[in-house]
Amino acid sequence: LAKTTQPISMDSYEGQEVNITCSHNNIATNDYITWYQQFPSQGPRFIIQGYKTKVTNEVASLFIPADRKSSTLSLPRVSLSDTAVYYCLVGDIRANYGGSQGNLIFGKGTKLSVKP
Amino acid sequence: DVKVTQSSRYLVKRTGEKVFLECVQDMDHENMFWYRQDPGLGLRLIYFSYDVKMKEKGDIPEGYSVSREKKERFSLILESASTNQTSMYLCASSSSDRADYEQYFGPGTRLTVT
């Protein structure tokens, strides 16, 4: 099972780029890496997902080195509204089919605080 | 937009009671999940279902059971609630068509067992 480790908290200022790294040393071949954002009193919301190299969408970039033992979520020019908890998730849901229990492992989350 | 709804936002139950948490999704997703979320521990998977009447244990299934009689509905059951089951419970769903899945979460049910 791929265990994930993230920093507990990070502070930033508006307009800065924020990079949050997740370590997953035991990642399996078929595992994807997914990042979620969660605001208070809400469920997590999908941000970005990747398997290897770099992925970019309209809100973030995800960097995954060749060995895939870590991943870095990059948020460009953060604003106050980016203050939230960010979770990385490693796993392959298809590995759960039929009871093989390739469990989905969430990190404990990184609380990002953006200050003016 | 995908919508995942949970039957209650807040619930207070007594020790020993049988508790049902209901989750409904409207996107015809095959996969449904139940997580619990606790401070400092993040999200932990309790149970997962990939089809009607199918279920698989997650990381912490002890003390819980699930039911999936219809594709859109996934229920979490606490047979005899205990105080250590006080937590935030989150339901999610995803499509199985994509190898790179995305989970859609409901707003959560905060359960307090006294």
Side-chain angles (χ1 to χ4, degrees), chain A residues 19-54:
Chain A
N19 296 309
I20 306 174
T21 296
C22 181
S23 298
H24 29 80
N25 290 321
N26 297 322
I27 190 169
T29 301
N30 293 329
D31 287 346
Y32 280 82
I33 300 158
T34 312
W35 284 82
Y36 289 83
Q37 176 191 55
Q38 185 178 29
F39 298 112
S41 301
Q42 294 184 22
R45 184 181 69 171
F46 174 91
I47 302 175
I48 197 167
Q49 183 184 75
Y51 183 79
K52 61 181 179 181
T53 63
K54 177 184 175 182

Side-chain angles (χ1 to χ4, degrees), chain B residues 4-20:
Chain B
V4 179
T5 57
Q6 296 183 228
S7 51
S8 305
R9 290 302 302 270
Y10 300 94
L11 208 53
V12 180
K13 295 292 182 180
R14 293 190 180 275
T15 300
E17 278 194 81
K18 190 169 185 176
V19 181
F20 292 87

Side-chain angles (χ1 to χ4, degrees), chain A residues 17-20 35 47-49 53-64 71-76:
Chain A
E17 178 184 75
V18 171
N19 296 309
I20 306 174
W35 284 82
I47 302 175
I48 197 167
Q49 183 184 75
T53 63
K54 177 184 175 182
V55 179
T56 297
N57 62 21
E58 62 276 8
V59 299
S61 294
L62 179 60
F63 299 91
I64 305 170
S71 59
T72 299
L73 173 71
S74 180
L75 304 172

Side-chain angles (χ1 to χ4, degrees), chain B residues 31-60:
Chain B
N31 301 325
M32 295 189 75
F33 311 80
W34 275 107
Y35 294 90
R36 66 176 282 176
Q37 183 173 33
D38 300 288
L41 297 178
L43 282 84
R44 293 178 292 168
L45 182 65
I46 304 172
Y47 266 99
F48 153 68
S49 169
Y50 58 89
D51 201 352
V52 174
K53 297 190 185 295
M54 304 304 292
K55 61 184 179 183
E56 299 296 344
K57 294 179 180 179
D59 297 325
I60 51 165

